[in-house]
Amino acid sequence: MMPLRRRQSALKMCKIVACLSALALPVMVSGPALADDDSDGEGMHTPAQMRKLADKPPLPRAQRDFAKYRFRPKGDKVMEQPENNRLLFWTQDGRPDGYAQRRGNSVIYYNAQGQATQIQRLTPAEMAD
């Protein structure tokens, strides 16, 4: 048998939970209902509209000039990553061969294991670009 104090505190907790759920229920029910009232087209998009927007994002793609990166391994395919300001080098058979990344006033060339192999210092004219 439960002591009287515990029984009273358990009843208080039940009352508190009941009151909170009674207050939260209208908010949970009316939330999605308010979102469905958007008939002006500004609110929710259909999945087809979202796919159409994803095909051509409104943001411009990052553009970088990688002409100042002088060293490129012979025979490797070069893939640009303008958002990270680096070039990736891949062998003809599709294995990673390293990358080059600009850091401050230098371009650092790394091998496939991530170890720096060369450092190219940029001139002030190259840095101005």
Side-chain angles (χ1 to χ4, degrees):
M1 185 170 207
M2 197 184 267
L4 185 61
R5 292 192 92 133
R6 281 193 183 177
R7 198 176 303 160
Q8 287 177 347
S9 64
L11 287 174
K12 284 183 184 179
M13 286 300 290
C14 288
K15 288 180 183 179
I16 291 172
V17 169
C19 290
L20 289 176
S21 63
L23 292 174
L25 185 62
V27 174
M28 292 188 312
V29 171
S30 67
L34 293 175
D36 291 339
D37 291 342
D38 282 343
S39 58
D40 58 357
E42 294 275 334
M44 307 272 292
H45 293 289
T46 64
Q49 290 172 331
M50 295 300 284
R51 281 191 292 276
K52 187 177 178 183
L53 286 171
D55 286 342
K56 293 185 179 179
L59 298 174
R61 292 187 61 152
Q63 297 292 324
R64 298 266 192 241
D65 181 24
F66 292 106
K68 55 187 142 219
Y69 289 57
R70 293 189 196 114
F71 174 75
R72 296 178 188 210
K74 290 183 181 177
D76 279 3
K77 297 176 189 174
V78 177
M79 188 168 116
E80 296 180 356
Q81 280 189 337
E83 63 275 358
N84 295 334
N85 203 17
R86 74 176 167 190
L87 291 178
L88 299 176
F89 305 119
W90 296 84
T91 60
Q92 291 294 327
D93 58 349
R95 289 182 294 131
D97 198 24
Y99 62 97
Q101 187 171 22
R102 183 172 174 184
R103 298 282 181 148
N105 63 349
S106 302
V107 177
I108 304 174
Y109 297 91
Y110 299 90
N111 62 9
Q113 290 77 32
Q115 301 164 340
T117 56
Q118 284 186 332
I119 297 176
Q120 171 193 339
R121 304 278 182 211
L122 297 175
T123 64
E126 289 175 324
M127 288 180 55
D129 292 341

